[in-house]
Amino acid sequence: MFKHILVPTDGSELSSATVTRAVTFAREAGAKITFFYAQPDFPMPIYGEGALIDPTTPEQFSKAAAAEADAILEKSRELATVAGVECAGVTVVSEVPYEAIIEAAEKSACDLIFMASHGRRGLSGFLLGSETQKVLTHSKIPVLVYR
């Protein structure tokens, strides 16, 4: 049924568990996986009374974020490779992760997005939202939420 799955990951414990389950799902379905990581953009400094000065340059931040993305994606790819699942890894810099996730799924011609739910409920979930909720409400590609 599904032949190409996008699996967004942020390296968290919940996300890592989702990667593990997605690999099993893909192996059973005979699908390939594209792992995806949305790198944060360099935060704009805030100046004024009480502001903290961050000595990190945009170049240093970018290099560190890219290294983190590579490490997270490599761990996911290794897990898939051991399970015999064809896979790739994609990362982009984005201030709006849910949009980057949907765009990556479309560009990679994925027919399913398999992602974690961070489980916010009640008012905090409503006010804060989550990237998963935003993907669910904006994606035209089916989304499987793993909890």
Side-chain angles (χ1 to χ4, degrees):
M1 179 174 202
F2 298 111
K3 297 298 175 200
H4 191 177
I5 304 167
L6 184 84
V7 182
T9 182
D10 62 9
S12 67
E13 188 175 318
L14 179 60
S15 186
S16 295
T18 302
V19 165
T20 300
R21 184 59 186 113
V23 167
T24 302
F25 181 85
R27 185 180 66 231
E28 292 171 358
K32 63 182 177 178
I33 293 177
T34 296
F35 295 106
F36 178 76
Y37 181 83
Q39 294 179 47
D41 199 3
F42 184 73
M44 294 303 296
I46 299 172
Y47 298 104
E49 190 175 325
L52 298 174
I53 304 299
D54 184 358
T56 305
T57 66
E59 294 79 19
Q60 291 170 321
F61 183 87
S62 177
K63 188 175 180 181
E68 180 181 22
D70 289 343
I72 289 168
L73 292 173
E74 181 58 29
K75 185 176 177 183
S76 299
R77 285 191 303 261
E78 285 174 6
L79 188 64
T81 300
V82 167
V85 174
E86 182 183 343
C87 66
V90 175
T91 184
V92 298
V93 176
S94 176
E95 290 182 20
V96 188
Y98 86 89
E99 289 178 352
I101 290 166
I102 294 169
E103 186 175 318
E106 290 170 351
K107 281 185 178 178
S108 297
C110 294
D111 52 13
L112 178 69
I113 300 172
F114 191 119
M115 60 191 304
S117 167
H118 284 277
R120 287 191 187 100
R121 295 175 186 232
L123 188 59
S124 67
F126 177 73
L127 294 176
L128 297 174
S130 72
E131 296 310 310
T132 303
Q133 182 64 35
K134 292 172 189 167
V135 170
L136 278 167
T137 57
H138 291 89
S139 178
K140 293 181 177 129
I141 299 169
V143 180
L144 190 154
V145 180
Y146 178 75
R147 197 185 256 210

